[in-house]
């Protein structure tokens, strides 16, 4: 084929290319001739930018393949296998069963790899134990369901570098497999790709002395949670350079649970009786409350390591089997609640690093299977765990595959307890601290709130989004009524404080700026977990932003009308003087409050503005590992200033009170509906926050829509102080507009002395 294309040079310029692609593809092949080779060559002159050296291409033919190797092999080549295995009849057929293969499988080596070759890729690949691959993966490219035949690519990887690429000759085997219905095993013949070092054009399939055998265990246990197990070995002589010792492989604990569990597989408890005898503590608490059902999602666990090597990690634990049932996601909701007080249960647990760049075994994570009992009457989970142990190079060894000297104890809180309570427990190594396999304790807690609490939280979020819509809509109505009032009484706008209107306008504008992306793009704060259903939550958020924008525009229009009326008023000089006095008196108050917040932050960086009162903002902060300290400090300081800005917005009537006081105005500049309605809108979130705290609705993982702690002061004391101040300010405005701006002062301060010239008597001034 001949064609053309474009690429970019180092300086960003477009470079045209003219190429020819030569490729040989056979319609019929066997395993020895299954590789296809090709080359991409440049047709451009060598002196032009479009020229490039030839690029070799390699692939595997999928057409007209004939299985030859598996037909010629005798049963003695495979061995008898071990343990009960699942068949293909009840699992959707052969090819359906093979679909469970295509995942990452762990390799496990013998103990004598230091003196003998254990590398299935060949003796010349790498050197030493560290070069041994740790992971194998199967890639299916042809499966015959009727003949129970399959063609696979066997790909080897390093544990810390699991990369998926179509074909890497140095780490890929090509082969064919057949299903043995008597032993329920897949027998597989694999061949290396040779002659690829000089050029891929010379690569071919050779050295078909590698055998694989795998099965799907019918019975799982504490030390075998894997639904795929098998071996890889060489049929060469021990003294042959291509020989390697037998290597085992198995699916990881995580995959065994999260992948589809085959029909017919059972779990066998081996230490549950031993655990039951040692975990009888707590029976005297029977009847104190209701505890999570063993089949409920409340049994999921969150793991928080204390050890330094896992500081940048997090983990989770999930039930694997309960009683005689292996839990499968698709059937979990169909399980009936357990009637037994003490139930056998097993778990799989994992810890994964959050950062990249681990060079030791900690970078490979922490995998553990556990087995024991759960008491549904006391909420006590007691288990023995087996940790999958890797060497410092990340390899698994048969003689030290599991460390089962581990205890797991968890106390679940009662379903009737405070919603903020979580399960508490630990994973503890019972080995001596000097033992190489010892690890520091790992804290255990529930991964989320209880299901019934989550339902209440969904209801709370629906209520909050409704309250936000109502409050924003009412804000538009009250501002609209004030605009109507100014149109009906055109002499009143000049007597409205511009500082007050600026505060109100900014109060609507700042939330718009903070949520600009939420208005125009479908993006949400990823640090919050929203129980979103069907996209309605996102739609409601957008509606809230739109209503907020309408309120902002109406408020800005009111500010514009007031400013214009002040400019056209003949007596505006006195009004502007009063406005300046308002600025001179209120601005120091606002700046002083900001300085106090800044100094408090500087003296104690962990201090929030609300920490002077219980229930501070720190409950709503989210810790992010490995984030920059300076960025965290700036973000926290900005959040504190935003909270202080909400307090200024709550006291929006203060500039108007000062303006009436300085100008001694008796004009009814504000309509009752505007200042009283807006005052109640600013009060109600604090009253709701008191109710929310009383009901225990404060969860740091759930998004807050109404009474947002980021935009105002919220605590038990502030929730009382702010509404009282709001009512006081509204009462002062009412009195000033009825009795005069200085009616709130003592009588001797209400009148001002002014100098005035009077008419002359007999030519002399009096």
């Amino acid at each position: 084929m001949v064609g053309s294309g474009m690429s970019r040079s180092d300086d960003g310029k477009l470079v045209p290319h003219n190429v020819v692609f030569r490729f040989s593809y056979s319609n019929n092949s066997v395993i020895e001739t299954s590789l296809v080779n090709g080359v991409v060559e440049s047709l451009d002159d060598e002196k032009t930018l479009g020229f490039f050296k030839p690029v070799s291409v390699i692939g595997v033919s999928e057409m007209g393949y004939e299985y030859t190797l598996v037909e010629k092999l005798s049963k003695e080549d495979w061995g008898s296998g071990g343990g009960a295995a699942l068949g293909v009849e009840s699992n959707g057929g052969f090819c359906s069963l093979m679909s469970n293969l295509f995942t990452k499988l762990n390799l496990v080596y013998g103990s004598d790899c230091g003196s003998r070759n254990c590398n299935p890729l060949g003796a010349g690949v790498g050197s030493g134990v560290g070069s041994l691959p740790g992971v194998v993966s199967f890639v299916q490219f042809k499966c015959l369901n009727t003949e129970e035949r399959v063609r696979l690519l066997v790909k080897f990887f390093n544990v810390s570098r699991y990369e998926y690429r179509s074909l890497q000759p140095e780490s890929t085997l090509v082969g064919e497999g057949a299903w043995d219905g008597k032993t329920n095993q897949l027998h597989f013949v694999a061949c290396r790709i040779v002659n690829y070092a000089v050029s891929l054009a010379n690569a071919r399939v050779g050295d078909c002395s590698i055998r694989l055998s795998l099965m799907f265990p019918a019975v799982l246990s504490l030390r075998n949670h894997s639904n795929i197990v098998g071996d890889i070995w060489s049929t060469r002589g021990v003294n042959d350079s291509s020989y390697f010792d037998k290597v085992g492989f198995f699916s990881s604990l995580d995959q065994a649970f999260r992948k589809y569990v085959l029909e017919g597989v059972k779990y066998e408890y081996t230490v549950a009786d031993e655990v039951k005898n040692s975990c009888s503590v707590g029976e005297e608490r029977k009847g104190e409350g209701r505890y999570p059902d063993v089949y409920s999602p409340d049994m999921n666990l969150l793991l928080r390591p204390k050890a330094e090597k896992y500081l940048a990690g997090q983990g989770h634990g999930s039930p694997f089997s309960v009683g005689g049932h292996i839990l499968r996601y698709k059937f979990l909701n169909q399980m009936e609640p357990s009637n037994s007080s003490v139930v056998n249960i097993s778990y799989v647990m994992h810890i994964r690093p959050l950062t990249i760049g681990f060079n030791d075994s900690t970078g490979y994570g922490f995998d553990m299977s556990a087995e024991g009992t759960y008491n549904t009457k006391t909420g006590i989970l007691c288990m023995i765990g087996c940790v999958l142990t890797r060497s410092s190079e990340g390899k698994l060894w048969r003689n030290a595959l599991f460390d089962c000297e581990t205890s797991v104890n968890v106390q679940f809180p009662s379903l009737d307890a405070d919603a903020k309570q979580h399960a508490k427990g630990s994973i503890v190594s019972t080995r001596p601290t000097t033992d190489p396999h010892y690890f520091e304790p790992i804290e255990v807690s529930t991964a989320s709130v209880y299901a019934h609490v989550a339902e209440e939280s969904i209801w709370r979020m629906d209520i909050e989004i409704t309250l936000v819509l109502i409050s924003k809509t009412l804000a538009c109505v009250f501002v609209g009524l004030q605009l109507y009032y100014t149109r009906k009484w055109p002499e009143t706008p000049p007597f409205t404080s511009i500082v007050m209107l600026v505060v109100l306008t900014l109060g609507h504008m700042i939330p718009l700026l903070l949520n600009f992306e939420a208005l125009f793009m479908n993006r949400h704060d990823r640090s919050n977990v929203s129980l979103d259903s069907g996209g309605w939550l996102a739609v409601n958020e957008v509606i809230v932003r739109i209503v907020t924008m309408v309120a902002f525009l109406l408020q800005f229009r009111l500010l514009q009308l007031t400013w214009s009326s002040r400019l056209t008023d003949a007596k505006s000089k006195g009004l502007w003087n009063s406005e300046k006095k308002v600025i001179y008196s209120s601005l120091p108050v606002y700046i002083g409050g900001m300085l106090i917040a800044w100094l408090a932050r500087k003296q104690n960086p962990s201090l929030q503005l609300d920490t002077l009162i219980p229930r501070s903002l720190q409950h709503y902060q989210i810790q992010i590992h490995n984030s920059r300290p300076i960025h965290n400090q700036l973000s926290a300081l900005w959040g504190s200033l935003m909270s202080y800005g909400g307090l200024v917005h709550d006291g929006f009537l203060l500039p108007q009170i000062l303006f009436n006081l300085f100008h001694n105005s008796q004009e009814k500049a504000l309509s009752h509906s505007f200042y009283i309605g807006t005052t109640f809108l600013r009060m109600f979130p604090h009253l709701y926050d008191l109710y929310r705290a009383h009901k225990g609705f404060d969860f740091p993982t759930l998004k807050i829509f109404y009474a947002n702690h980021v935009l105002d002061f919220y605590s038990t004391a502030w929730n009382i102080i702010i509404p009282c101040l709001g009512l006081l300010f509204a009462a002062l405005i009412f009195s000033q507009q009825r009795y005069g701006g200085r009616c709130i002062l003592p009588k001797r301060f209400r009148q001002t002395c002014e100098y005035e010239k009077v008419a002359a008597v007999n030519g002399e001034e009096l």
Side-chain angles (χ1 to χ4, degrees):
M1 297 185 292
V2 177
S4 61
M6 305 289 290
S7 68
R8 289 191 179 273
S9 62
D10 295 338
D11 56 0
K13 295 181 180 179
L14 289 175
V15 179
H17 298 278
N18 297 296
V19 300
V20 57
F21 178 35
R22 298 185 177 90
F23 199 71
S24 299
Y25 202 97
S26 175
N27 288 329
N28 298 284
S29 64
V30 293
I31 193 168
E32 290 85 356
T33 61
S34 59
L35 282 189
V36 289
N37 310 88
V39 62
V40 180
E41 296 178 320
S42 175
L43 296 178
D44 296 316
D45 188 89
E46 294 185 13
K47 298 180 180 179
T48 62
L49 290 176
F51 176 81
F52 58 88
K53 294 181 179 180
V55 178
S56 299
V57 180
I58 188 174
V60 182
S61 172
E62 298 187 25
M63 298 179 64
Y65 183 81
E66 182 181 352
Y67 292 87
T68 57
L69 292 183
V70 292
E71 298 291 347
K72 300 176 182 178
L73 298 175
S74 62
K75 295 182 179 179
E76 288 75 15
D77 292 323
W78 304 111
S80 59
L86 296 175
V88 301
E89 295 81 7
S90 60
N91 289 285
F94 174 72
C95 290
S96 175
L97 191 63
M98 291 302 101
S99 64
N100 289 274
L101 284 178
F102 312 117
T103 183
K104 184 174 65 173
L105 305 174
N106 295 301
L107 293 173
V108 57
Y109 296 93
S111 59
D112 55 351
C113 287
S115 59
R116 304 174 66 176
N117 180 36
C118 294
N119 198 332
L121 298 176
V125 180
S127 60
V129 174
S131 63
L132 296 176
V135 174
V136 64
S137 180
F138 297 93
V139 179
Q140 170 186 296
F141 56 90
K142 194 67 174 180
C143 184
L144 300 177
N145 207 30
T146 55
E147 300 179 16
E148 296 183 348
R149 298 288 187 270
V150 64
R151 294 182 64 199
L152 298 174
L153 292 179
V154 185
K155 305 171 66 175
F156 295 89
F157 304 91
N158 195 323
V159 178
S160 58
R161 288 188 177 182
Y162 179 68
E163 301 174 355
Y164 181 86
R165 292 177 59 184
S166 57
L167 184 59
Q168 293 176 282
E170 68 276 9
S171 59
T172 302
L173 306 179
V174 182
E176 59 186 44
W179 182 260
D180 185 349
K182 294 182 180 180
T183 60
N184 289 332
Q185 290 184 337
L186 176 66
H187 301 319
F188 190 61
V189 180
C191 307
R192 293 191 177 100
I193 299 175
V194 298
N195 297 341
Y196 59 84
V198 178
S199 173
L200 291 181
N202 300 325
R204 62 181 180 84
V205 174
D207 187 12
C208 296
S209 62
I210 302 175
R211 304 291 182 265
L212 288 87
S213 180
L214 64 85
M215 57 180 286
F216 302 89
V219 179
L220 305 181
S221 63
L222 177 64
R223 288 176 171 82
N224 181 22
H225 269 64
S226 304
N227 56 1
I228 303 173
V229 296
D231 294 299
I232 307 173
W233 70 94
S234 173
T235 59
R236 299 277 187 176
V238 176
N239 297 324
D240 193 291
S241 60
S242 298
Y243 172 84
F244 61 92
D245 279 357
K246 181 177 288 189
V247 180
F249 60 86
F250 61 92
S251 59
S252 69
L253 304 180
D254 190 40
Q255 292 161 350
F257 179 62
R258 299 195 178 280
K259 293 293 181 181
Y260 176 74
V261 179
L262 299 178
E263 185 177 348
V265 65
K266 299 179 180 179
Y267 187 88
E268 183 180 73
Y269 293 92
T270 57
V271 299
D273 293 337
E274 176 186 345
V275 174
K276 186 180 300 184
N277 296 329
S278 62
C279 297
S280 59
V281 179
E283 289 294 332
E284 65 277 3
R285 297 173 47 207
K286 184 180 297 185
E288 285 188 6
R290 299 179 301 114
Y291 293 91
D293 183 75
V294 71
Y295 290 117
S296 72
D298 300 327
M299 298 298 293
N300 293 329
L301 300 174
L302 185 67
L303 309 182
R304 295 187 177 93
K306 285 185 176 180
E308 292 183 1
K309 63 181 181 180
Y310 290 118
L311 279 180
Q314 65 179 6
H316 67 276
S318 305
F320 181 78
S321 69
V322 174
H325 302 285
I326 291 182
L327 301 185
R328 292 179 284 181
Y329 286 137
K330 60 185 299 184
F331 300 129
L332 185 59
N333 295 330
Q334 301 176 11
M335 295 293 187
E336 295 292 335
S338 175
N339 296 322
S340 176
S341 59
V342 180
V343 183
N344 291 340
I345 191 171
S346 69
Y347 268 74
V348 288
M349 302 184 184
H350 320 278
I351 293 176
R352 292 292 179 264
L354 295 180
T355 58
I356 300 174
F358 282 83
N359 295 319
D360 56 3
S361 60
T362 62
Y364 309 118
F366 173 100
D367 295 310
M368 185 179 74
S369 59
E371 176 185 307
T373 60
Y374 173 67
N375 193 319
T376 59
K377 302 298 183 182
T378 62
I380 295 177
L381 175 66
C382 185
M383 298 184 294
I384 292 176
C386 291
V387 180
L388 189 64
T389 58
R390 294 185 183 271
S391 66
S392 58
E393 300 88 7
K395 304 302 182 292
L396 298 174
W397 304 100
R398 294 183 190 274
N399 61 343
L401 189 58
F402 285 104
D403 171 20
C404 294
E405 297 189 33
T406 306
S407 65
V408 182
N409 294 278
V410 181
Q411 173 64 66
F412 288 89
S414 170
L415 295 174
D416 303 319
D418 188 347
K420 295 182 181 180
Q421 292 187 13
H422 297 275
K424 295 181 180 180
S426 61
I427 302 173
V428 180
S429 174
T430 58
R431 291 179 177 270
T433 56
T434 57
D435 193 287
H437 290 155
Y438 172 81
F439 59 88
E440 296 182 29
I442 298 174
E443 290 184 350
V444 175
S445 65
T446 44
S448 61
V449 297
Y450 281 155
H452 73 285
V453 177
E455 293 178 0
E456 294 179 1
S457 301
I458 296 174
W459 171 82
R460 190 270 296 170
M461 293 167 68
D462 291 338
I463 292 295
E464 286 198 8
I465 201 71
T466 303
L467 290 175
V468 172
L469 285 172
I470 293 174
S471 63
K472 296 298 182 183
T473 303
L474 288 177
C476 296
V477 171
F478 295 146
V479 179
L481 291 175
Q482 179 64 21
L483 288 171
Y484 174 77
Y485 181 80
T486 58
R487 182 181 294 272
K488 185 177 181 181
W489 307 98
E491 70 279 1
T492 59
F495 297 93
T496 305
S497 172
I498 293 179
V499 176
M500 179 195 69
L501 296 180
V502 169
V503 170
L504 290 173
T505 304
L506 291 176
H508 293 297
M509 184 182 71
I510 290 175
L512 285 177
L513 294 178
L514 294 178
N515 297 278
F516 185 80
E517 288 183 340
L519 180 62
F520 295 103
M521 292 181 289
N522 187 24
R523 291 182 58 186
H524 299 281
D525 185 358
R526 302 300 181 187
S527 63
N528 288 323
V529 179
S530 299
L531 301 178
D532 197 342
S533 177
W536 285 110
L537 191 58
V539 172
N540 288 333
E541 284 191 78
V542 173
I543 294 175
V544 168
R545 309 309 171 202
I546 293 175
V547 176
T548 304
M549 178 172 284
V550 173
F552 165 72
L553 294 176
L554 291 174
Q555 192 68 60
F556 187 79
R557 175 59 178 167
L558 181 60
L559 175 61
Q560 182 187 26
L561 289 176
T562 303
W563 187 279
S564 301
S565 63
R566 188 78 64 83
L567 293 177
T568 57
D569 195 306
K571 301 179 181 179
S572 61
K573 185 176 180 180
L575 298 174
W576 283 115
N577 290 333
S578 298
E579 197 72 59
K580 289 179 182 179
K581 293 179 182 179
V582 172
I583 296 175
Y584 296 152
S585 57
S586 61
L587 196 58
V589 175
Y590 296 150
I591 295 177
M594 292 175 62
L595 289 176
I596 292 174
W598 180 76
L599 290 174
R601 170 75 60 178
K602 187 176 181 181
Q603 293 295 327
N604 186 0
S606 63
L607 181 67
Q608 301 294 321
L609 292 181
D610 289 51
T611 51
L612 301 176
I613 310 297
R615 294 181 57 249
S616 66
L617 290 177
Q618 60 186 352
H619 293 293
Y620 298 88
Q621 290 184 334
I622 296 179
Q623 302 295 331
I624 301 176
H625 291 287
N626 297 325
S627 56
R628 298 179 180 177
I630 296 178
H631 181 268
N632 286 345
Q633 293 176 6
L634 292 177
S635 299
L637 180 59
W638 173 250
S640 299
L641 293 178
M642 290 298 302
S643 180
Y644 179 74
L647 180 63
V648 173
H649 193 188
D650 288 335
F652 72 99
L653 286 176
L654 178 61
Q656 184 66 45
I657 294 173
L658 295 176
F659 180 84
N660 293 339
L661 183 65
F662 292 132
H663 196 263
N664 197 21
S665 172
Q666 196 172 347
E667 292 289 340
K668 294 180 175 60
L670 304 179
S671 64
H672 297 316
S673 59
F674 174 71
Y675 72 87
I676 295 177
T678 306
T679 298
F680 274 99
L681 287 182
R682 299 303 303 173
M683 288 172 46
F684 195 77
H686 295 276
L687 301 178
Y688 172 78
D689 192 61
L690 286 173
Y691 169 78
R692 184 169 63 189
H694 176 70
K695 289 294 183 179
F697 286 160
D698 290 338
F699 305 119
T701 57
L702 296 180
K703 197 166 186 177
I704 298 175
F705 297 93
Y706 194 64
N708 193 337
H709 288 231
V710 177
L711 298 177
D712 207 344
F713 272 25
Y714 289 94
S715 65
T716 303
W718 283 114
N719 288 336
I720 297 174
I721 294 173
I722 291 176
C724 292
L725 286 177
L727 292 175
L728 175 62
F729 287 172
L732 293 178
I733 291 293
F734 177 82
S735 301
Q736 286 180 328
Q737 293 191 161
R738 185 166 186 175
Y739 303 110
R742 295 182 182 147
C743 67
I744 60 177
L745 297 177
K747 290 185 177 181
R748 61 176 179 172
F749 297 112
R750 294 180 185 179
Q751 302 297 327
T752 58
C753 298
E754 296 182 357
Y755 177 79
E756 182 181 2
K757 290 184 179 182
V758 297
V761 179
N762 297 327
E764 296 182 358
E765 293 182 356
L766 298 179

